[in-house]
Amino acid sequence: MNAKRFFKKLILTNTLVITTLFIFACKTTSKLPQKIELSRALMAQGQLTAPQLAAFFLSRNPEADLTHITQFAQYYIDEAAAEGINSDAAFAQMCLETGFLKFGGLVQPEFHNYCGLGAMDADHPGEIFETEELGVRAHIQHLQAYATTEDIKLHKELVDPRYNWVHKTKYIEDIFGLTGTWATDPHYGEKIDGLLTAMEDFSL
């Protein structure tokens, strides 16, 4: 084999090797988990599944029961889907309001009140709902009241006792609008945003 043919064959071999490595690298990269970007809008479709929400919850409250929290998260997904509400944002707000279901404030676990509805003082510790599912529904309905105008009707039976007042007086579009409307904490929306960011990172 002369030198010219040798170098031509060497170049061809190297080209094939480089091409193969490039294709493999592209396939490997495409299989890497991509970070999920969660919407901060209240009227948006949630992206995380019940197992993903439960896994994030357990990372902050490892004493919780996996089966229970997964079902609890599914309530949020189902109720939010029925009313067009962002289940990721609602779940994050629940985590903030209840301290990941550890409570410790005016609202007690047996109230099934996951967003501080009606919690003002010792004489008004918060609304009480019969079941977890109804408590979650009330939370979603309260968010829907904030995020829609009066011409948008609920799809499920009303259980939020404060729904009509809010629907007539307040309107916001995202979690940041909850600051000063839902809560007096000047960093309320930012705290929910921080939880959503943590949920994004955790979903990788």
Side-chain angles (χ1 to χ4, degrees), residues 4-20:
K4 185 176 181 180
R5 289 180 63 189
F6 172 78
F7 283 112
K8 186 177 180 180
K9 186 175 182 180
L10 181 63
I11 291 172
L12 179 60
T13 301
N14 287 340
T15 301
L16 289 172
V17 171
I18 292 171
T19 301
T20 300

Side-chain angles (χ1 to χ4, degrees), residues 151-164:
D151 58 308
I152 307 299
K153 305 302 180 183
L154 289 170
H155 289 85
K156 292 195 174 185
E157 183 180 355
L158 178 63
V159 296
D160 171 16
R162 297 172 176 269
Y163 178 85
N164 290 317

Side-chain angles (χ1 to χ4, degrees), residues 14-31:
N14 287 340
T15 301
L16 289 172
V17 171
I18 292 171
T19 301
T20 300
L21 290 173
F22 177 76
I23 293 173
F24 177 77
C26 288
K27 288 184 177 180
T28 302
T29 301
S30 66
K31 291 180 180 179

Side-chain angles (χ1 to χ4, degrees), residues 57-70:
F57 185 96
L58 288 168
S59 72
R60 301 298 183 91
N61 182 2
E63 296 179 0
D65 178 73
L66 173 60
T67 301
H68 170 245
I69 294 304
T70 302

Side-chain angles (χ1 to χ4, degrees), residues 5-188:
R5 289 180 63 189
F6 172 78
F7 283 112
K8 186 177 180 180
K9 186 175 182 180
L10 181 63
I11 291 172
L12 179 60
T13 301
N14 287 340
T15 301
L16 289 172
V17 171
I18 292 171
T19 301
T20 300
L21 290 173
F22 177 76
I23 293 173
F24 177 77
C26 288
K27 288 184 177 180
T28 302
T29 301
S30 66
K31 291 180 180 179
L32 292 176
Q34 301 297 310
K35 181 177 179 178
I36 297 175
E37 293 186 6
L38 303 179
S39 176
R40 271 56 175 172
L42 295 182
M43 297 293 289
Q45 184 174 353
Q47 297 186 58
L48 298 181
T49 64
Q52 286 175 314
L53 291 172
F56 170 72
F57 185 96
L58 288 168
S59 72
R60 301 298 183 91
N61 182 2
E63 296 179 0
D65 178 73
L66 173 60
T67 301
H68 170 245
I69 294 304
T70 302
Q71 177 59 68
F72 185 68
Q74 191 63 52
Y75 289 148
Y76 268 91
I77 292 171
D78 294 342
E79 295 294 333
E83 307 299 347
I85 292 296
N86 184 343
S87 54
D88 301 326
F91 193 83
Q93 185 183 27
M94 176 280 299
C95 291
L96 175 63
E97 285 280 352
T98 68
F100 290 84
L101 294 182
K102 293 180 180 178
F103 294 95
L106 293 171
V107 178
Q108 300 302 306
E110 60 270 20
F111 289 8
H112 302 306
N113 183 339
Y114 306 113
C115 60
L117 270 177
M120 294 179 286
D121 52 43
D123 294 325
H124 306 87
E127 302 291 345
I128 299 174
F129 303 96
E130 291 184 9
T131 65
E132 289 185 343
E133 186 174 10
L134 289 177
V136 172
R137 183 174 302 172
H139 181 186
I140 295 300
Q141 290 181 347
H142 208 62
L143 283 173
Q144 193 265 12
Y146 272 81
T148 62
T149 53
E150 287 187 83
D151 58 308
I152 307 299
K153 305 302 180 183
L154 289 170
H155 289 85
K156 292 195 174 185
E157 183 180 355
L158 178 63
V159 296
D160 171 16
R162 297 172 176 269
Y163 178 85
N164 290 317
W165 178 78
V166 173
H167 221 202
K168 295 175 182 177
T169 60
K170 299 179 186 296
Y171 176 75
I172 60 174
E173 296 183 348
D174 57 35
I175 60 169
F176 302 104
L178 294 169
T179 300
T181 56
W182 189 294
T184 57
D185 181 353
H187 304 292
Y188 189 77

